[in-house]
Amino acid sequence: MSLLPVATNRTSTPLNSQRMQYQLNNDQLAIQGLYDQLSTGLSVQKMSDDPAAAARALDLQRGISRSEQIVRNANATEGYYQSTDTALSRVDSALIAARGVAVEAAQSVLSDNELEALAITIRQNMESVVSAGNSMFLDHQLLGGVLEPSSALEHANGTVQFNGTDAVGQTKVGTGTNTAFTVTGESAIGVASVFHTGSSLDAALNEDTRLVDMRQGVGVRPGVITISDGEEKVELDLRNASTIGDIVDVLRDVRLDGRALGVQLQDDSITIQYADTLPGVLAIADTEGGYLAADLAISNPQGYQAPPLVGDRLSPQVTLATPLDDLAGGAGLDLSDGIVIDQGGERFTIDLDDADTIGDVIIAINRSGAGVNAQLDEAAGRIELRALISGVDYSIGENGGDAASQLGIRTADEETLFSDLNHGTGVSLNSDGPDLVITRPDGVELELELTGVETVEELIDAVTDHPLNQDSLRVRLSLATVGNGLELSAPPGADPIRITQPGTSDVGTRLGLIPKGEADATSEVVSGSAVLTGSDYSPREAGGAIDTLLRLEKAVRENDIPEIGRLQARLDEDLDASSRTRGRVGVWTANLQDLRTAVEDETVLMQSQLSDEVDADLASVISELQARQAALQASMQFIGQTANMTVLNYL
């Protein structure tokens, strides 16, 4: 143990000198430490000074640094919000002004010059929306996709094309919270909106179906199950199974008292029984913590339910990797004929002969050159089509087969409602006679009164079942084999087919069989047969504010009062969408400000706690410094005295 300092008067001179030096060094180190505290204001200079306080201080410093970063993120995010609000304010102003112009243009007493002036005003409003859609902040698009350095919207041949993305920037401004700091062009101004949603592709279950894709993407969790016939029990470890086929293979190898299991997969179910199909106990249960049997809906732990055990509703989710052969309930899709996309006046033919998966189809559509972006909605198992060019109509049709129908994306089919024709305004019927008259090549007139007819299929049936159209010279109405539209055809004959829409009826025009502005149409003769092929009767609009304004500009120039009225309603919808997005940004801003205030208050509190842990008490430090200096002076005086001592001091 330590012997210094030794409190005794009988010490040797060397030992006494060593004691004095120890005391002097101790006082000097203490004074230096006090000077350090005075110069830094900190009572803890290193971990060894106070390990507990230093550890708490490090935690507080990390918390303060994180809070300060959150505040910086919040400040930057608020800048994005303010810029987005400014851009959306310009959109709102442009749409409000355009609606006022539309109301004025709906008057029927305007001259051509006045209509042209109103059309130019609408064009200016449209340019304002395009400019707002290209707004940027800190080199990021506000509406056209974060990280996009170039303009998201550009003019092209009288249309406006969207070249951006739907990517939304996110940042952390709270505990574990990712907050968006940009919005999408679709939500703000309707660009790249979905113009057509396909029907379900109906994927079927097979042995290659992944467990994670089953139950519409909810998935089946691998695990350990037990199977028993009431006496013998078998435990199966299926934790490494990745497909339903892996499970089926293991189950088929099971023997209970010599009896094998029979396992079959249907479109969306699995059936388990004894292979001999005879009755017996078949108990299936998950081990503790497992869910496989429950997820497959084959759990029968007590064996009360007699086999077969059927686990249904296992329908797999459609993914980009889903083979075409697994779709349509397992019947598969034959897409060898391909599809066509009509965009404005252009037609794009898409070859799908080499497509093996639904992902191949998506890629082929997106690389076709058409202004269409195809996406797979995996949750619903269907294809969504988005319009990238505003101001044109879109149509997805056949190319001689039924590929578009099989994919569920044909935009005009037999189920199309009459009420959906003419962009949702429907048809006008003749109140005083037939709505449509088809004159066959032999002169027989088929008068069709369409009151109560709701779909194109019902119209086709009305032509087919017409009492005067039951002989060998009957005409046939069907869907066009290429593109979209209806086709009237007749057996070979010398005369063409003629179709008229008497009185106030516009059914023929709305069905694309009679050109707009005409009252009748006559077929051509193809290879000796009369064929009248109509135009697409259910084209889809791109949608969004820019598309509405482009169409409104055209309608005003043409003084199309009904179309102007229809587009007024669409302007209201576009304004609502923009205002809702702007309101959402306003809510985000308010929440951000509240969060920033809370984080700043938390930072102040942590800084106060950090000060309590490591800051020096200057009054105490100064008082202790004075005491240490006095002790140092006393030590130095004592050392000086002892250095002059002689033996005479002890006599």
Side-chain angles (χ1 to χ4, degrees):
M1 64 181 192
S2 176
L3 298 177
L4 294 175
V6 180
T8 175
N9 292 329
R10 299 183 63 83
T11 57
S12 65
T13 298
L15 182 58
N16 193 47
S17 298
Q18 188 176 359
R19 286 175 55 205
M20 294 301 101
Q21 289 177 355
Y22 176 84
Q23 182 66 40
L24 184 62
N25 289 337
N26 189 53
D27 289 340
Q28 289 175 331
L29 289 174
I31 290 173
Q32 183 59 50
L34 293 171
Y35 275 131
D36 290 342
Q37 292 186 41
L38 286 175
S39 62
T40 62
L42 300 176
S43 62
V44 179
Q45 302 292 325
K46 53 185 180 294
M47 291 291 293
S48 59
D49 291 343
D50 189 342
R56 291 192 295 271
L58 289 175
D59 288 339
L60 289 168
Q61 286 173 337
R62 283 193 292 267
I64 291 171
S65 297
R66 178 180 174 279
S67 296
E68 290 174 344
Q69 183 61 55
I70 289 176
V71 171
R72 288 193 292 270
N73 291 350
N75 291 335
T77 302
E78 187 174 15
Y80 279 99
Y81 289 164
Q82 291 174 349
S83 298
T84 301
D85 181 75
T86 300
L88 293 177
S89 175
R90 293 167 57 192
V91 173
D92 288 353
S93 298
L95 294 178
I96 291 171
R99 195 186 189 288
V101 173
V103 171
E104 184 177 355
Q107 303 177 43
S108 59
V109 293
L110 298 177
S111 66
D112 290 343
N113 290 336
E114 290 173 322
L115 291 173
E116 179 63 23
L118 293 177
I120 292 174
T121 302
I122 293 173
R123 166 65 64 162
Q124 292 172 342
N125 292 324
M126 187 273 294
E127 295 288 355
S128 181
V129 174
V130 171
S131 177
N134 285 328
S135 297
M136 301 184 70
F137 182 76
L138 297 179
D139 296 331
H140 289 294
Q141 288 282 339
L142 294 174
L143 309 181
V146 71
L147 300 179
E148 287 293 319
S150 58
S151 297
L153 297 168
E154 66 176 5
H155 293 279
N157 300 322
T159 65
V160 176
Q161 182 168 338
F162 179 70
N163 298 318
T165 68
D166 59 356
V168 174
Q170 293 186 331
T171 185
K172 279 190 178 296
V173 292
T175 304
T177 302
N178 286 331
T179 299
F181 61 83
T182 61
V183 298
T184 64
E186 180 185 7
S187 65
I189 56 177
V191 292
S193 297
V194 175
F195 71 86
H196 183 61
T197 300
S199 55
S200 174
L201 293 168
D202 190 19
L205 197 65
N206 60 47
E207 294 193 357
D208 293 327
T209 302
R210 300 187 307 171
L211 297 181
V212 294
D213 293 333
M214 294 173 61
R215 300 166 66 208
Q216 293 298 330
V218 175
V220 170
R221 291 164 285 188
V224 179
I225 63 173
T226 61
I227 300 181
S228 172
D229 63 356
E231 295 182 1
E232 183 181 355
K233 179 184 289 188
V234 176
E235 184 174 278
L236 304 177
D237 187 350
L238 297 169
R239 288 175 292 185
N240 293 325
S242 61
T243 67
I244 188 65
D246 296 338
I247 296 174
V248 170
D249 290 341
V250 173
L251 290 175
R252 285 174 176 166
D253 290 337
V254 172
R255 298 291 186 276
L256 295 174
D257 194 21
R259 300 178 69 185
L261 295 182
V263 184
Q264 291 84 34
L265 293 178
Q266 286 77 39
D267 290 347
D268 70 341
S269 64
I270 182 173
T271 301
I272 303 175
Q273 59 184 340
Y274 287 107
D276 56 20
T277 69
L278 297 176
V281 175
L282 184 58
I284 301 178
D286 289 303
T287 59
E288 185 176 357
Y291 301 95
L292 177 60
D295 288 349
L296 289 175
I298 57 173
S299 180
N300 188 31
Q302 304 301 323
Y304 294 149
Q305 180 180 345
L309 304 179
V310 180
D312 58 2
R313 299 182 181 179
L314 302 179
S315 302
Q317 181 182 34
V318 179
T319 68
L320 294 175
T322 300
L324 298 178
D325 291 340
D326 293 348
L327 301 176
L333 304 183
D334 180 8
L335 308 181
S336 56
D337 291 313
I339 63 175
V340 296
I341 298 179
D342 290 329
Q343 169 195 300
E346 294 184 88
R347 169 164 290 182
F348 300 86
T349 301
I350 302 174
D351 182 6
L352 300 176
D353 193 39
D354 295 330
D356 295 321
T357 67
I358 197 64
D360 295 337
V361 175
I362 299 292
I363 292 173
I365 293 175
N366 292 339
R367 291 181 177 177
S368 66
V372 174
N373 176 254
Q375 296 178 352
L376 178 64
D377 181 353
E378 294 188 352
R382 60 193 182 190
I383 297 174
E384 290 184 342
L385 300 172
R386 297 177 180 271
L388 302 182
I389 299 179
S390 299
V392 298
D393 286 336
Y394 284 89
S395 173
I396 312 297
E398 304 294 359
N399 189 40
D402 61 351
S405 298
Q406 291 188 62
L407 289 169
I409 58 174
R410 184 168 185 172
T411 53
D413 56 23
E414 294 179 342
E415 297 179 1
T416 302
L417 296 172
F418 273 25
S419 59
D420 290 339
L421 299 178
N422 193 29
H423 299 304
T425 60
V427 300
S428 297
L429 300 181
N430 183 18
S431 59
D432 198 18
D435 303 297
L436 209 60
V437 177
I438 300 174
T439 303
R440 304 192 324 181
D442 61 354
V444 174
E445 292 187 348
L446 309 178
E447 295 185 347
L448 301 171
E449 293 188 4
L450 303 179
T451 301
V453 173
E454 296 182 349
T455 67
V456 171
E457 183 177 21
E458 292 176 8
L459 172 64
I460 293 174
D461 292 340
V463 173
T464 302
D465 299 336
H466 196 282
L468 301 180
N469 195 36
Q470 301 302 310
D471 54 17
S472 60
L473 299 178
R474 65 181 181 178
V475 296
R476 179 173 178 266
L477 181 65
S478 62
L479 298 181
T481 57
V482 177
N484 279 321
L486 292 171
E487 188 173 87
L488 269 172
S489 59
D495 296 324
I497 303 171
R498 183 169 177 267
I499 183 170
T500 60
Q501 49 185 14
T504 58
S505 173
D506 64 356
V507 176
T509 299
R510 299 311 179 202
L511 289 172
L513 294 170
I514 299 176
K516 187 176 181 180
E518 302 292 333
D520 60 77
T522 302
S523 70
E524 298 178 349
V525 177
V526 180
S527 300
S529 299
V531 177
L532 192 156
T533 302
S535 59
D536 184 8
Y537 56 85
S538 185
R540 306 301 170 89
E541 296 177 308
I546 297 174
D547 184 69
T548 302
L549 292 172
L550 286 170
R551 293 176 186 276
L552 182 59
E553 179 188 2
K554 179 181 178 182
V556 169
R557 280 200 172 91
E558 296 175 352
N559 198 22
D560 189 341
I561 304 301
E563 178 71 354
I564 293 173
R566 183 183 75 87
L567 294 173
Q568 282 183 22
R570 272 192 49 178
L571 276 176
D572 291 338
E573 296 174 1
D574 297 331
L575 180 58
D576 286 343
S578 175
S579 298
R580 283 196 301 271
T581 303
R582 187 180 179 190
R584 188 163 66 251
V585 172
V587 171
W588 291 350
T589 303
N591 291 339
L592 182 68
Q593 291 170 344
D594 291 342
L595 176 62
R596 180 175 57 194
T597 299
V599 171
E600 288 173 341
D601 292 342
E602 181 183 357
T603 302
V604 172
L605 178 60
M606 287 190 292
Q607 288 173 337
S608 175
Q609 293 174 339
L610 179 61
S611 177
D612 293 339
E613 293 290 349
V614 300
D615 284 0
D617 184 346
L618 296 183
S620 298
V621 171
I622 292 172
S623 176
E624 185 178 354
L625 177 61
Q626 291 175 343
R628 286 289 185 176
Q629 287 176 333
L632 177 62
Q633 185 176 0
S635 297
M636 295 178 67
Q637 290 177 349
F638 183 71
I639 291 173
Q641 292 175 359
T642 56
N644 294 325
M645 291 180 63
T646 66
V647 71
L648 297 177
N649 294 103
Y650 295 95
L651 296 179

